[in-house]
Each structure stands twice: as structure tokens, then as C-alpha cells.
Amino acid sequence: MAKPKVAFYWCASCGGCEEAVVDLAEDILKVVEKVDIVFWPVAMDFKRRDVEGLGDGELAAVFINGAIRTSEQEEMAKLLRRKSRLVVAFGSCAYLGGIPGLANLSSKDAVFETVYKKVPTVVNPEGVVPRTETDVDGFKLKLPDFYDGVRTLAQVIEVDYFLPGCAPPPDLIMEAINKILTGELPEKGSVLAPEKSLCDTCPRRDSKPDKIKISDISRIAYKKIDTDKCFLAEGIICLGPATRSGCGERCINANMPCRGCFGPTREVLDQGGKFLSGLMSIVDTQDEEEIKRIADSVIDPVGLFYMYSLPYSLRMKFLK
Amino acid sequence: MKRIGVFVCHCGINIAGTVDIKRVVEAVKNFPGVVYVEDYKYMCSDPGQNLIREKIKSEKLDGVVIAACSPTLHEKTFRNTVSQAGINPYNCEIANIREQCSWVHTNMEEATEKAIRIVKSIVAKTLLDESLVPIKSPVVKRALVVGGGIAGIQAALNIANSGYEVVLVEKEPSIGGRMAQFSETFPTLDCAQCILTPKMVDVASNENIKLLTYSEVVDVSGSVGNFKVKIKKKAKSVDYEKCTGCGICVEKCPVKVPNEFDRGMSERKAIYTQFPQAVPNKPVIDRENCTYFQKGKCRLCERVCPFGAIDFEQEDEVIEEEVGAIVLATGYELYDVSNMGEYGGGELEDVIDGLTFERLLSSSGPTSGEVRRPSDGKVPKTVVFVKCVGSRDPEHHFPYCSKVCCMYTTKHAMLYKHRVPDGKAYIFYMDVRTAGKGYEEFYQRAQEEDGVIYLRGKVSKIYKSDGKLIVDGFDTLTGRKVQVEADMVVLAMAIRPSSGAEKLFNLLKVSTDANGFLTEAHPKLRPVESLTAGIFLVGCAQGPKDIPDSVSQANAAASMISVMFSQDYLIHEPIITGVNEDLCSGCGICVAVCPYDARKINREKGTVEVNEILCEACGACAAACPSGAAQQKNLTDRQIISMIKAILEE
Ligand SMILES: Cc1cc2nc3c(=O)[nH]c(=O)nc-3n(C[C@H](O)[C@H](O)[C@H](O)COP(=O)(O)OP(=O)(O)OC[C@H]3O[C@@H](n4cnc5c(N)ncnc54)[C@H](O)[C@@H]3O)c2cc1C
Ligand code: SF4
Ligand code: SF4
């Protein structure tokens, strides 16, 4: 029997997710044993026409990482969707929008203005910015359109499963691949990670006081705390309570509070908003001025609470 | 999918006058889950309810939406109706198309459109409703009353007389509280002891009351219906089984110390009963002042006691009691005169507070009821009474009104005039507040019959000059400075919560206001309940008040407790905020947020635990829970979102 065919593709991402696949190390050989990788631009020389040449639904699965920012990414996502029986949004950017999604705080024009004109290392006296069509010596050169916002993969095509993480950890990747190979998949639309939030597996959980109350918010760079103390209880913002577990607590073990790359749990629509609601609930004062002072002391709240999930947030869903 | 029936009520023309019922019925037929729709003139009437019951059976409905008036009116009615037809009542919901629609709109077109959307959203909610069963928990039919003043005594007697056991804990050797120190009471001037003592004796002889004097609550756990309370019984050093209260020991004891009950104006012994009518009328040894306990020698009382009741070996004992309800009646004390620098700061012997004056008036007091001033025992010929001392002074002291001072000062001046007819009584006042039955008449009588002189204004300074007390004041009615040379001054000091009460309140986790008085669950509608279920507040612990008000509160709390105890189980609405253990990570965010202390982290399980009886479904935790594990029953996020979608959908 022929081996099932799979593909990997990347959209708006940093490449870390591709790296994560390579990081499977010898395990990758077990994967290759069982499947045929027919498309993986970052690692092997395939062309778009190779995908176009496949029959509809011929691929068993495609793993797409990265958010959708350009027309090309959207086209490729749609093409792969047609060719594949399963689509897995691989990593936080495909699932939630990820860090590239924070660009939704600025318009397309503002992004171009900064990237092509204002950045100190750029020399662009004519003020050229990318255009979708340019005439050069009588030829038309085309570039993909750079959309006005960043979208998650599921906002562009139907996605069957979501594998969170920046990047997804090897054990969850292997587990997902095995599930696909054995067909023991959960309900469509599921996130392939544990249901509970990070506190469940956090190595610092036992240090939590019975009641968490905070009267000041600080940052890990400004405050020295014991490395076995719950960050939140010490007034350092940690998105762990609002973030799915399964990451292997890599940040926590490096003495960094959780930034939320695994996204919200099943019952939460808006990770940042929900966390903010929880955070302000444990602020230990009834005094409005004091509440305001504490709230105002959070530096870059959107960047902090929505570091990975701005395009996935309720607000962005409505703006769409 | 559920089979939902929608019943649209006309409410006469209340709804039908503004909402096109026919159109609503037609539109509702197409909503997902709806299998049957009918309208009727008055759904809440008997025929209306019968119709609902019939259709539930014939159409095999398992969810019902009544489009009618506000759920506060008839939600109960209709939930009963559907349960009679075999549906779990929590699968019946009300779409309010009257108060929130027909009554507030005039345009029929728009009102009809809105009514349709309201019904649609409630159908969407009902589709996701769970069947719920009221929460039942057993009740320990015993009450704890803390504080044996008039309020605590009254509450204890009432509960006991309803047939339930009461544990009454008083920190002093005797019950009675402040009232036991009074001579007469306003506005009737009946003798305080004469009306109080019979009640105190009733407490002692009531079989349902376990009286623990010289005792304090040291720990509380559990919740309404089942509190576990630890009480420390301080060592009395007297075996009450053997003691008959003969008093020989007191007579022979060589140690004399200032008597607190007489506000230091007389002396008591190291072994003492607080006052002649004390209940129990048996002594305790004040170990801090007893020669034997301090120096290891004496034991005179042991030698003279004919019954061998003295027991120097007795130790403090901690006992545990189980109770279903708790009444807090810890009363008050007076703000200390030393806080009033401008009035001598407590250094002027003849500037005294109201309770001290009560003792001077009392026939069992240090002067046997003759008004003699503390410094030299002379009868004062001019007495100045100053009201609102420390009260109504947010800048320096307390913002609130102590409520009883207007009346007791009037009483004091009047009683003084009765004792010293040729004396002069002046009262400095900011206002005279006489809201109470017979109070205004009492005040008029003081002026007219007893010639008490009222001066409107503040006293700026009290000092001593040539053996006289000089009271400098300002009469705001005449706009002139006044100065009165007085022999004695009585300050109506602010009423403060009892010292030590704060510790007890923290132990019980009941909240207090900015001034330290207990906070009621609702200032108007739940005046004797605390926010913590099963804990009640009576008397001055809740705020300054007089005896009639204290007694009314005690009666109210007692009857609420009797109602509670008349049932074998506490029944609690099942609409609470639970926890989905598959989602809860034990992050603990919700725990501190709950005002009712209903949530706790179970560290072994790694999830939070909810005490369903304590949850009042305020939803604070649901808003706070960062993982969506805390969700209000039948008001889950999913339900709310599907309702919003249903409303917004074109
Ligand atoms: C000078 C003066 C005159 C007054 N005259 C009148 C009057 O004529 N008519 C009138 O209607 N009202 C009068 N009042 C008001 C009256 O005193 C109160 O309304 C009444 O005493 C309130 O009763 P209570 O039981 O709430 O408090 P209290 O009488 O203060 O009793 C509280 C009891 O609780 C005990 N206690 C406190 N803390 C604890 C604890 N932690 N554990 C155990 N026990 C504890 C105390 O020892 C005390 O026995 C007067 C008040 C003052 C100051
Ligand atoms: S709903 Fe309110 S009362 Fe109930 S557990 Fe949550 S916070 Fe406590
Ligand atoms: S806030 Fe939510 S997740 Fe955290 S302990 Fe409470 S119920 Fe559990």
C-alpha cells in the first residue's frame, strides 16, 4: 500500500515551526518511514505546480504554519485545503495569529511607512514601497497583495485541527502525527493539546497562597523572586491561568512567566480579555484611584495580554 | 435537539396593545428547536397554565418559553406549572416582552420586531439549559449567640423558646451588657435592672440555653447549617457545681482593685461577681490581681469557702460546639474621653462619660444613686452635658451619629434634676434628634417640667480654673460666645464597636463598614443578616441604636433562625457558579474573588472546590476565571453568546 502523502507549508511566520519539525531529530525518520512528504518548500525543492498537479483530497494531511498576511498565502492555503483531507494549523501564528498578528495594531500604510522608510537601516530616497503591479521595460511585474490585516488560518480556510505553541513542542507534534496515522482523532476543530490551563502542570503551583491578591504589578526584569514562587502571586503578570498547558513549561523553567502562546482553553473566546478580567479581579483594593494606578502600571497591555492572539481576539473577529 | 414550546401571553392589552402577537407567533415557529407555539390572553391564569400543561404532554415538549412579563413576577409560577407536567423547572424560561418591550415602546412595528428577537434569544438559551435540582443540605438545629447584652439575651431567649438549643457566649463573668449598668431607661424612665434582670434569670434557667460566661469564640469553620465553633472557657478558678454564690470569699478577699463595672469609681475584690444581680451570680478569680496567682501565697478564699468550691488548678478549656446559625451581638463601648484633648483628655476627674454618669445615678452604683462627683464626692450644683462628642465629626473622629446620645443626655439631665432639684443642667447640642415613639414628648418634658437648659452650639474647650470647670462654647442661636462654670461635665462619647470584636469578625469572615460596625446583607431588605449565610447581626454590633431597636433586631434574627430550623434541610437555588473540573487548573484566581468564601483550592485534586450552599451566584468568579471553568449554571458563556447571536442575526 502506498504511504499517505503529507505536506508542510509556511505563511506569515518566523520559521521556528519548521525548525520544530526538524527538531524531532531521529523521530523524523519514523515519520518519513510512514509517510511521503510531497511538498515542503523550506526543506525540499518543490514547486507550486507540484501541488496543483495533485488530485483533490490526495494529501492525507497538510501542516500549515504562519498567519495569513498576503494574497499568496491565502491562495496557497486554499489550494492546499482543496488537495488535503486534513488541514492542521501548526503553531501559534496559524492558530491565533501569533506575534505577526500584533501588526493589526497598525494599518498597512503605517507598516509600509515604517518598514520601507523610517527604519534607520533603510536607504530609500525615492520612497518606494511594494506594489502589486509594476511596469519595468514594458513588462508587468507582479507581487502578492499585502493585506490590511493579519488573519488566522481558520479565518481564511476551514481548519480541522490546531496544534498550538511557539513553536509546538516535539511530543505534541509526534502525538498529533500518530493520531493522524492511526485515525484516532478527536472531534473536528479540536486543539491538539491538554484542556486545562498551565497552572495545572506548573512546577510552581504549590507555592500559591490560598487566596491570590496583588497590590502591585511588576515585571520579571524589575523584581527578584524565588524561582519556585508563583509569578502571579508575586505581582508579575503570567498568562498561565489563561493559557492551555502542554508546552512543557519551557518558559517557567527558564524563570520567564507565561506569555500565552498556547492560546485559551476551550470555553474562552478571548484570551487576553479573559486574563485581564481575572487579573483585575485579584487586585487587592476597592479604591478607584488605586485600581487605576495598578491598571496603568501595566506596560504595553495589548502586546502583553494579546501577544499571540490578537487576530483571534473577539475585537478582531468583529472587525473582520 | 430539545422540543421547545413557546407560549405568548397578551397580558390583556398590556402586551397585545403594542406588540403584534400574531406576527410574533408566526416568526417564532421558524426558530430552531421550536415545535409548538400558542398565544393566550392571560397565560398566568388557570386556563393559561392548563394549556401549557396539556401541550407539554400532547406535543412531548421538553423545554418551555413563556413570552410574558418579567421573570421576577411569574418565573416561579410557570416553573411550577411545567414541573407539574413533568418537565424539570429549569427548562422553563421567561422571555420578558412586557417590562422590557411593550411597556417601554409605543411604535408597534418596532416593539413587535424587538419582541421577536427577545423570544428568539430566550429560545436559544433554553436549548442549552440543563435540568437542575435544588441543593439540599442538612441543618444543625442549634444556634450560637455571641454577646450577652440585651440584644444577645433577647435573641437567645426567643430561639430557645421556639424549642431550639442555644449556646450563649459572653466574655465577661456575667451577662447583661451595658444595660445592666444603667439606672433608668428613656423614654419611660423604668428601672433598667427591673426589666433586664428577669430576662437574665430566664436565660440561666432556660433548659435550651447553654450559658458560657467568661468565654470567647476562638475558631469557626464550616458554613450555614453546619458551623463548627471552638470556644475558650477562661478558668474561673471556682467550681460552679459546688459554689452557691454565698459571697463569703468575696468578703474575705484582701485585694482591692478598681471596679470596671462602676467605671473605676468603686473597688472590687480579686475574687468578685460583677454586680449584685449578676447571672450567673457566682464569682470568678481575676488571676492578674490575685495574690496567690501573683505571689504564690494567700488562698484565703479557699479556706473560708464552706463548699470547697475554690479551684486554683482550673485551666482554660477549649470546647467545640456544632451550630447551624450564629448571632453576633457583641455590642459597643464608648470612645475614650482621653481622645478629646480639648476637653481635658481624660485628665479632669469631673469630666466623665455617659456610662460613668449612669453609674452615679444607679441605686446599686458607687454613690447609691446620689449624684456625687468623682473628685471630692460633692453634689455638683451645675452640670454641663455635651452631645456629639466624637460623633458627627469626620475630620477628627467619626462621621456617623451615635443615635442614642440625644435621648440619654436628655434622660441624664432629667434624672439629675430629679436628684438635685436646685441644680442647673445645661445641654450643649448640635441637633436634637427625637425620632422614636414618645421621644419628642420626653425631650419637651425635660425642658418644660424639669427646666433643663438647651444651648445650641459646640463646646470648644473645657478646662479647670479656680476649682471650677470652665466650659467655653458658642451659642449658634444667639451668635454669642458662652461660658459656663460647671461642677461636673458629662460627655456623650461616640459609640464604638466592642474592642476585640474585630478579631471575632475576621475569624467569621463577616464584613464591617469603615467604622468597624457589622455590614448587613442589604441595608433595607436584609437588615439583620450578614453577607455570609447563616450569620446574623443584632444590636449595637451592627451600629449605634437604642434598646427597643436592639430588641426588635434580636426578635427578627431569632425568627429567621427559627424558620431556618423548622426545616430539616436548607434548600438552595441550584443556579450557582460551579466548576468544570475538566477545565479547572486550580489557578486559584476565583478563590479570593468570591465575597461569600464559597471557593477553595483543593490542593490534592488540583482543582477548586465550591461550597454550593454558600454560593449566592453573584458571578464574580465566572468573570474572573481565566480558563472558563467557572460558569454560572444555565447562564454559561456559551448560552450568553448564543443569545447574543440570536438577537443580532438577520
Ligand atoms: C450612656 C448610655 C445610656 C443609654 N441609655 C439608654 C436608654 O435609656 N434607653 C435605651 O433604649 N437605650 C439606651 N442606651 C443604648 C443601649 O445601651 C443599647 O441600645 C444596648 O445596650 C445595646 O445592646 P447590645 O446587646 O447590642 O450591646 P451591649 O449592651 O454592649 O452588650 C454586648 C455584650 O456582648 C459582650 N461581648 C462583646 N464582645 C464579645 C465577644 N467578643 N465575645 C463574647 N461576648 C462579647 C459584652 O461583654 C456585652 O455583654 C444607652 C447607651 C449609653 C451609652
Ligand atoms: S458566583 Fe459569586 S458566590 Fe458563587 S462562587 Fe462565584 S464568586 Fe462565589
Ligand atoms: S479561576 Fe477557574 S481555573 Fe482558576 S481555580 Fe477558579 S475555577 Fe479553576
Side-chain angles (χ1 to χ4, degrees):
Chain A
M1 209 180 83
K3 289 194 265 183
K5 296 188 176 118
V6 304
F8 293 92
Y9 191 67
W10 63 346
C11 297
S13 68
C14 65
C17 285
E18 308 278 354
E19 195 66 44
V21 180
V22 177
D23 272 352
L24 291 176
E26 23 313 355
D27 277 351
I28 189 101
L29 298 175
K30 289 189 211 151
V31 177
V32 176
E33 227 170 67
K34 290 187 187 138
V35 302
D36 264 340
I37 301 177
V38 299
F39 184 61
W40 190 5
V42 89
M44 305 169 181
D45 188 13
F46 291 108
K47 296 283 181 269
R48 177 174 167 148
R49 61 174 176 275
D50 296 323
V51 182
E52 283 166 342
L54 295 168
D56 284 359
E58 192 175 330
L59 291 171
V62 56
F63 297 86
I64 302 178
N65 69 73
I68 306 295
R69 176 94 229 198
T70 68
S71 56
E72 183 199 23
Q73 290 159 352
E74 179 169 2
E75 268 172 42
M76 281 307 290
K78 286 184 170 157
L79 176 65
L80 287 162
R81 171 72 273 188
R82 223 175 44 233
K83 302 296 175 186
S84 184
R85 301 196 289 280
L86 284 181
V87 173
V88 178
F90 189 96
S92 305
C93 300
Y95 170 28
L96 307 163
I99 296 205
L102 284 174
N104 282 0
L105 292 170
S106 315
S107 66
K108 167 184 173 175
D109 290 344
V111 171
F112 278 8
E113 191 65 23
T114 304
V115 173
Y116 293 99
K117 297 180 187 163
K118 288 198 188 140
V119 172
T121 52
V122 167
V123 182
N124 182 3
E126 283 141 64
V128 179
V129 294
R131 275 180 284 162
T132 46
E133 253 185 39
T134 311
D135 285 324
V136 180
D137 303 336
F139 294 97
K140 273 199 195 316
L141 288 187
K142 286 193 178 179
L143 275 180
D145 189 11
F146 185 92
Y147 291 145
D148 204 21
V150 176
R151 284 177 289 166
T152 70
L153 187 59
Q155 284 164 359
V156 175
I157 60 169
E158 202 179 311
V159 174
D160 299 294
Y161 295 102
F162 300 88
L163 191 54
C166 178
D171 58 330
L172 287 194
I173 301 177
M174 279 313 288
E175 210 180 296
I177 292 175
N178 285 332
K179 277 183 181 157
I180 292 171
L181 289 174
T182 56
E184 285 161 14
L185 282 158
E187 199 189 333
K188 206 177 126 154
S190 298
V191 176
L192 303 175
E195 291 293 350
K196 295 194 178 197
S197 71
L198 186 57
C199 302
D200 183 45
T201 53
C202 179
R204 303 181 181 209
R205 62 172 301 145
D206 290 338
S207 74
K208 269 180 198 288
D210 286 339
K211 288 189 175 182
I212 303 176
K213 285 267 178 199
I214 55 174
S215 43
D216 259 310
I217 288 175
S218 188
R219 299 182 126 190
I220 187 70
Y222 302 155
K223 192 172 175 184
K224 202 173 162 203
I225 65 165
D226 289 347
T227 51
D228 55 359
K229 284 268 157 64
C230 166
F231 288 108
L232 203 56
E234 297 292 314
I236 292 168
I237 291 177
C238 172
L239 258 68
T243 304
R244 240 179 228 271
S245 53
C247 56
E249 303 83 43
R250 293 172 293 188
C251 300
I252 309 288
N253 288 330
N255 200 29
M256 275 303 287
C258 172
R259 286 296 168 247
C261 75
F262 260 56
T265 59
R266 185 179 78 208
E267 295 296 326
V268 174
L269 282 178
D270 188 303
Q271 186 183 17
K274 200 67 177 112
F275 180 78
L276 184 59
S277 167
L279 179 70
M280 291 322 285
S281 299
I282 54 169
V283 164
D284 193 12
T285 173
Q286 300 293 329
D287 182 72
E288 275 189 40
E289 286 300 309
E290 182 63 4
I291 293 173
K292 189 169 173 335
R293 183 193 66 79
I294 295 172
D296 286 348
S297 72
V298 177
I299 301 167
D300 183 19
V302 182
L304 186 56
F305 301 132
Y306 292 97
M307 189 175 281
Y308 291 91
S309 67
L310 192 59
Y312 183 86
S313 70
L314 260 186
R315 190 176 147 74
M316 291 298 161
K317 282 178 200 155
F318 275 125
L319 286 185
K320 195 167 59 117
Chain B
M1 195 184 271
K2 271 192 187 158
R3 293 177 60 83
I4 292 181
V6 180
F7 298 86
V8 186
C9 182
H10 297 214
C11 194
I13 56 162
N14 272 305
I15 294 171
T18 332
V19 169
D20 182 345
I21 303 279
K22 284 235 143 42
R23 257 185 64 204
V24 175
V25 170
E26 282 314 305
V28 168
K29 281 183 181 157
N30 304 318
F31 298 160
V34 174
V35 295
Y36 185 81
V37 190
E38 182 150 356
D39 61 297
Y40 189 72
K41 217 165 163 84
Y42 292 106
M43 275 298 166
C44 61
S45 67
D46 260 355
Q49 292 190 45
N50 280 335
L51 175 86
I52 296 168
R53 279 187 290 256
E54 271 163 32
K55 294 302 169 192
I56 287 173
K57 293 206 171 116
S58 64
E59 304 296 322
K60 300 196 170 47
L61 304 177
D62 55 7
V64 167
V65 171
I66 317 279
C69 54
S70 160
T72 52
L73 273 153
H74 280 313
E75 186 181 78
K76 260 215 173 95
T77 318
F78 290 119
R79 286 192 168 164
N80 270 338
T81 313
V82 304
S83 58
Q84 285 155 3
I87 298 191
N88 180 287
Y90 295 91
N91 287 308
C92 167
E93 298 282 358
I94 309 288
N96 181 353
I97 57 166
R98 195 178 77 174
E99 285 81 346
Q100 288 177 355
C101 187
S102 69
W103 276 2
V104 289
H105 299 294
T106 44
N107 180 316
M108 188 141 194
E109 181 60 33
E110 286 169 6
T112 305
E113 178 60 22
K114 181 170 168 185
I116 291 170
R117 282 173 192 251
I118 292 174
V119 178
K120 194 173 176 195
S121 78
I122 298 294
V123 169
K125 174 180 195 288
T126 312
L127 276 175
L128 298 174
D129 272 344
E130 272 182 84
S131 295
L132 302 174
V133 188
I135 301 154
K136 261 181 160 186
S137 75
V139 194
V140 177
K141 300 182 177 192
R142 288 178 97 215
L144 169 75
V145 177
V146 190
I150 181 61
I153 289 175
Q154 184 73 18
L157 282 174
N158 262 344
I159 300 168
N161 289 338
S162 313
Y164 305 107
E165 280 176 39
V166 179
V167 181
L168 175 56
V169 175
E170 166 59 54
K171 69 174 179 189
E172 298 293 336
S174 170
I175 54 170
R178 301 288 79 78
M179 191 176 167
Q181 291 174 288
F182 299 166
S183 58
E184 279 110 332
T185 57
F186 64 75
T188 44
L189 294 188
D190 34 4
C191 141
Q193 283 293 353
C194 313
I195 53 176
L196 179 64
T197 311
K199 284 192 184 284
M200 292 165 58
V201 173
D202 278 355
V203 167
S205 60
N206 194 308
E207 284 189 349
N208 278 335
I209 299 180
K210 177 166 175 182
L211 178 57
L212 302 173
T213 48
Y214 218 41
S215 301
E216 268 172 77
V217 172
V218 290
D219 192 34
V220 182
S221 59
S223 57
V224 57
N226 199 348
F227 292 102
K228 288 195 176 57
V229 188
K230 288 205 175 108
I231 299 161
K232 182 167 99 182
K233 292 165 70 180
K234 280 181 283 182
K236 300 180 174 105
S237 316
V238 175
D239 181 345
Y240 277 21
E241 297 281 312
K242 295 182 185 155
C243 172
T244 62
C246 71
I248 290 187
C249 52
V250 177
E251 215 171 279
K252 300 291 180 201
C253 174
V255 180
K256 286 184 180 167
V257 290
N259 183 351
E260 304 84 354
F261 191 79
D262 281 340
R263 315 281 290 171
M265 292 183 296
S266 68
E267 286 174 329
R268 65 160 170 82
K269 301 293 181 63
I271 184 164
Y272 72 108
T273 47
Q274 270 186 294
F275 49 99
Q277 306 88 334
V279 167
N281 204 338
K282 293 178 184 177
V284 297
I285 294 181
D286 162 12
R287 292 190 172 182
E288 264 159 40
N289 289 302
C290 164
T291 318
Y292 172 68
F293 279 105
Q294 294 305 317
K295 304 204 175 108
K297 283 206 287 269
C298 182
R299 298 182 83 126
L300 198 60
C301 48
E302 191 182 38
R303 261 179 283 144
V304 298
C305 176
F307 308 98
I310 306 295
D311 178 2
F312 292 106
E313 311 306 310
Q314 226 180 47
E315 280 175 23
D316 289 356
E317 184 192 353
V318 175
I319 59 165
E320 197 173 299
E321 296 284 352
E322 278 188 21
V323 295
I326 299 176
V327 180
L328 295 177
T330 48
Y332 70 96
E333 60 189 35
L334 291 184
Y335 191 42
D336 206 86
V337 180
S338 63
N339 293 301
M340 308 307 299
E342 67 275 36
Y343 298 166
E347 300 292 319
L348 303 173
E349 247 188 303
D350 294 326
V351 177
I352 60 174
D353 66 20
L355 274 177
T356 312
F357 194 63
E358 290 285 345
R359 293 312 296 151
L360 289 180
L361 293 171
S362 166
S363 53
S364 65
T367 55
S368 304
E370 283 179 41
V371 181
R372 295 184 175 278
R373 64 183 192 178
S375 62
D376 53 12
K378 281 195 186 137
V379 175
K381 291 293 178 194
T382 306
V383 180
V384 171
F385 296 87
V386 187
K387 298 203 304 181
C388 298
V389 186
S391 312
R392 305 174 70 198
D393 186 356
E395 266 168 48
H396 308 101
H397 304 284
F398 309 105
Y400 57 88
C401 162
S402 288
K403 201 170 172 187
V404 289
C405 323
C406 283
M407 290 309 293
Y408 79 63
T409 304
T410 305
K411 170 184 83 174
H412 284 170
M414 210 179 219
L415 292 176
Y416 165 70
K417 290 287 287 184
H418 294 178
R419 310 278 203 281
V420 188
D422 62 338
K424 280 207 178 89
Y426 295 92
I427 297 183
F428 276 94
Y429 70 101
M430 290 214 272
D431 295 288
V432 182
R433 298 179 169 173
T434 59
K437 200 167 174 179
Y439 288 11
E440 176 64 18
E441 296 88 322
F442 185 71
Y443 161 55
Q444 293 301 340
R445 200 172 113 203
Q447 287 178 294
E448 286 159 20
E449 287 178 24
D450 297 307
V452 175
I453 301 158
Y454 277 78
L455 295 168
R456 188 172 199 276
K458 274 217 106 166
V459 170
S460 55
K461 204 170 171 191
I462 302 171
Y463 54 97
K464 214 165 170 177
S465 172
D466 280 342
K468 283 275 183 191
L469 288 169
I470 312 297
V471 181
D472 278 343
F474 189 81
D475 185 337
T476 50
L477 290 183
T478 58
R480 265 185 300 207
K481 278 189 184 165
V482 277
Q483 194 173 69
V484 184
E485 277 189 15
D487 301 315
M488 187 163 88
V489 179
V490 182
L491 304 176
M493 300 304 300
I495 300 259
R496 301 291 304 138
S498 286
S499 56
E502 193 185 344
K503 211 170 114 206
L504 174 72
F505 300 161
N506 285 338
L507 210 63
L508 286 155
K509 303 187 192 81
V510 287
S511 52
T512 49
D513 61 23
N515 301 310
F517 294 108
L518 290 165
T519 317
E520 55 282 4
H522 188 284
K524 294 168 189 94
L525 304 178
R526 297 169 67 188
V528 298
E529 295 160 79
S530 76
L531 269 174
T532 311
I535 301 185
F536 298 81
L537 336 164
V538 302
C540 289
Q542 183 260 352
K545 62 178 61 65
D546 57 19
I547 297 166
D549 280 0
S550 300
V551 169
S552 313
Q553 283 196 329
N555 288 343
S559 71
M560 292 195 73
I561 289 171
S562 302
V563 169
M564 181 173 144
F565 288 176
S566 68
Q567 297 147 347
D568 292 330
Y569 291 94
L570 291 178
I571 305 284
H572 192 276
E573 262 288 305
I575 308 248
I576 55 145
T577 308
V579 60
N580 179 343
E581 288 189 1
D582 295 341
L583 278 180
C584 174
S585 65
C587 76
I589 300 269
C590 59
V591 177
V593 170
C594 177
Y596 304 98
D597 247 330
R599 305 180 83 86
K600 241 192 212 90
I601 309 183
N602 180 330
R603 293 192 189 256
E604 242 160 67
K605 265 188 15 203
T607 56
V608 88
E609 254 172 14
V610 184
N611 184 332
E612 299 190 326
I613 289 287
L614 291 184
C615 174
E616 293 280 338
C618 69
C621 58
C625 173
S627 66
Q631 300 263 346
Q632 200 135 336
K633 296 255 162 80
N634 282 355
L635 268 173
T636 60
D637 289 354
R638 279 172 191 266
Q639 281 177 298
I640 294 169
I641 289 158
S642 77
M643 289 170 76
I644 295 174
K645 278 193 184 147
I647 287 184
L648 297 180
E649 225 165 46
E650 277 317 316

